[in-house]
Amino acid sequence: MEWLALHYRFMIIDAHCDVLTAMEEQGRSLADVGRGGHVDLRRLRRGGVGLMFMAAFISPAHRERATVRALELLARAYEELEKNREELMPVRCAADMVRARVSGKTGVLLAVEGGEALAGRLEVLRMFYRLGVRCLTLTWNGRNELGDGVGEEGTRGGLTRFGREVVREMNRLGMVVDVSHLSEAGFWDVLEESAQPVVASHSNSRRICPHRRNLTDEQIRALAAAGGVVGLCFCPDFIHPTEPSLERLLDHLDHIVSLAGIGCVGIGSDFDGIDGVVPGLEDVSRLPNLTRALWERGYREKEIAAILGGNFWRVLHQVLPRQDLAL
Ligand SMILES: [Zn+2]
């Protein structure tokens, strides 16, 4: 069981989950056990997760009140952080990552999924930063003030002028730019604009599974060349059109590694944001199965460490502020 010991030795980073929305829909909190969903405190512990991105997802239903929606979900995140201080801690800077690692707590990195939450204003972005938000998924599938999402394909719409300003301001503040859900034209605009590595927090390879939410080979190569990381997403539809499985997910990994090396891939499960799951990855507690599958496929210790969290650690360490100096 060499792989099991390995699993719990590594800093595991999951770059995307929707537990904030799921808790609201399912009327549960993180400390509840056996209340459904994919993520709670007990399952995070079993999964060995050291750092979790928690997204305030702005669904289209909340488009007209996106800023308030983001605040509602962030308030829920802070309630959970407060109630569970023994097990969780917010991660706002590189020093916090080390603190989370040393303390054995699960770090929580707050994210907003959907730049409509900014209401078209950099001031709102700056205030989200002060509220601890360190990652912004620029768009969801539709169009917002920053640019077009993947659902707008055919328009060739990329980033707007405001979208470019947001990328530059996020670079300045120390926030991670997330290109998952963004249109292809938008993706290339971000790479042109960003002085820092960017992430695709939850996307797979379009060559392996032709889904619009997955990335082309050219996108993966360019993102990797800029120091970025793709988070492997466990959504069955992004894995295989007819026979999604853990093994087919690893086909995405193999392909991405063959294109751009071991340094550009991580995990972005999308737990609590996906309807279906694949056998072996039913919830976050099952992450050791991923390590076993990696081991059995011939990935070695250093490579597994990079995939499970080392690569996202590198990007976060580079992008986040060294210390949290917010007033
Ligand atoms: Zn998403």
Side-chain angles (χ1 to χ4, degrees), residues 155-212:
T155 65
R156 291 176 174 269
L159 288 188
T160 60
R161 185 184 305 200
F162 177 65
R164 287 179 180 268
E165 284 174 5
V166 167
V167 169
R168 288 198 297 272
E169 185 66 2
M170 289 176 72
N171 285 168
R172 190 186 72 81
L173 289 166
M175 296 176 79
V176 178
V177 177
D178 180 11
V179 296
S180 279
H181 289 282
L182 191 59
S183 68
E184 192 168 344
F187 172 92
W188 294 111
D189 289 344
V190 168
L191 280 206
E192 185 181 283
E193 203 62 52
S194 183
Q196 290 282 14
V198 303
V199 306
S201 69
H202 56 307
S203 295
N204 294 332
S205 155
R206 203 179 292 187
R207 173 66 66 93
I208 301 297
C209 177
H211 192 287
R212 67 183 185 182

Side-chain angles (χ1 to χ4, degrees), residues 16 18 55 57 113 137 139-141 178 180-181 201-202 213 233 238 270 273-274:
H16 193 79
D18 281 313
F57 165 52
E113 184 176 21
T137 310
T139 66
W140 198 61
N141 292 336
D178 180 11
S180 279
H181 289 282
S201 69
H202 56 307
R213 279 276 291 99
C233 183
F238 303 176
D270 210 1
I274 49 182

Side-chain angles (χ1 to χ4, degrees), residues 42-316:
R42 195 165 79 172
R43 287 182 286 183
L44 280 170
R45 208 162 40 241
R46 285 189 182 162
V49 176
L51 175 58
M52 190 96 189
F53 285 45
M54 282 190 190
F57 165 52
I58 315 300
S59 75
H62 294 280
R63 178 71 179 84
E64 299 309 318
R65 54 190 295 281
T67 311
V68 174
R69 180 61 180 157
L71 292 172
E72 285 171 356
L73 290 169
L74 292 171
R76 184 172 289 265
Y78 275 105
E79 267 171 45
E80 293 290 342
L81 282 164
E82 226 163 76
K83 276 193 290 188
N84 302 295
R85 285 170 188 273
E86 302 302 312
E87 308 210 37
L88 301 176
M89 62 165 284
V91 165
R92 303 189 181 99
C93 61
D96 287 342
M97 293 163 60
V98 177
R99 278 182 210 117
R101 181 65 175 151
V102 170
S103 67
K105 295 180 186 181
T106 299
V108 172
L109 190 139
L110 295 176
V112 170
E113 184 176 21
E116 45 271 51
L118 306 185
R121 304 200 64 91
L122 289 181
E123 292 88 340
V124 178
L125 175 70
R126 294 181 191 124
M127 290 314 294
F128 278 129
Y129 176 86
R130 288 177 187 272
L131 288 174
V133 175
R134 292 293 181 268
C135 176
L136 174 68
T137 310
L138 300 181
T139 66
W140 198 61
N141 292 336
R143 172 176 295 175
N144 65 22
E145 293 85 351
L146 285 67
D148 278 9
V150 288
E152 305 286 345
E153 253 168 315
T155 65
R156 291 176 174 269
L159 288 188
T160 60
R161 185 184 305 200
F162 177 65
R164 287 179 180 268
E165 284 174 5
V166 167
V167 169
R168 288 198 297 272
E169 185 66 2
M170 289 176 72
N171 285 168
R172 190 186 72 81
L173 289 166
M175 296 176 79
V176 178
V177 177
D178 180 11
V179 296
S180 279
H181 289 282
L182 191 59
S183 68
E184 192 168 344
F187 172 92
W188 294 111
D189 289 344
V190 168
L191 280 206
E192 185 181 283
E193 203 62 52
S194 183
Q196 290 282 14
V198 303
V199 306
S201 69
H202 56 307
S203 295
N204 294 332
S205 155
R206 203 179 292 187
R207 173 66 66 93
I208 301 297
C209 177
H211 192 287
R212 67 183 185 182
R213 279 276 291 99
N214 290 338
L215 302 173
T216 66
D217 288 358
E218 293 69 29
Q219 286 179 300
I220 290 166
R221 279 202 202 91
L223 184 127
V229 176
V230 180
L232 291 174
C233 183
F234 301 171
C235 176
D237 289 348
F238 303 176
I239 294 175
H240 193 278
T242 53
E243 291 170 343
S245 65
L246 177 47
E247 288 303 314
R248 298 287 76 76
L249 177 67
L250 292 197
D251 295 346
H252 290 265
L253 172 69
D254 288 347
H255 181 65
I256 294 170
V257 169
S258 76
L259 280 177
I262 197 77
C264 72
V265 65
I267 302 170
S269 68
D270 210 1
F271 275 137
D272 275 331
I274 49 182
D275 294 330
V277 289
V278 295
L281 291 175
E282 289 86 353
D283 62 41
V284 74
S285 73
R286 313 278 279 175
L287 280 178
N289 287 335
L290 177 62
T291 301
R292 179 173 56 192
L294 291 168
W295 184 254
E296 287 173 355
R297 207 171 261 224
Y299 286 95
R300 296 281 70 105
E301 183 170 342
K302 268 190 173 167
E303 297 169 322
I304 296 174
I307 295 162
L308 293 182
N311 291 329
F312 272 123
W313 178 281
R314 182 193 76 233
V315 170
L316 291 171

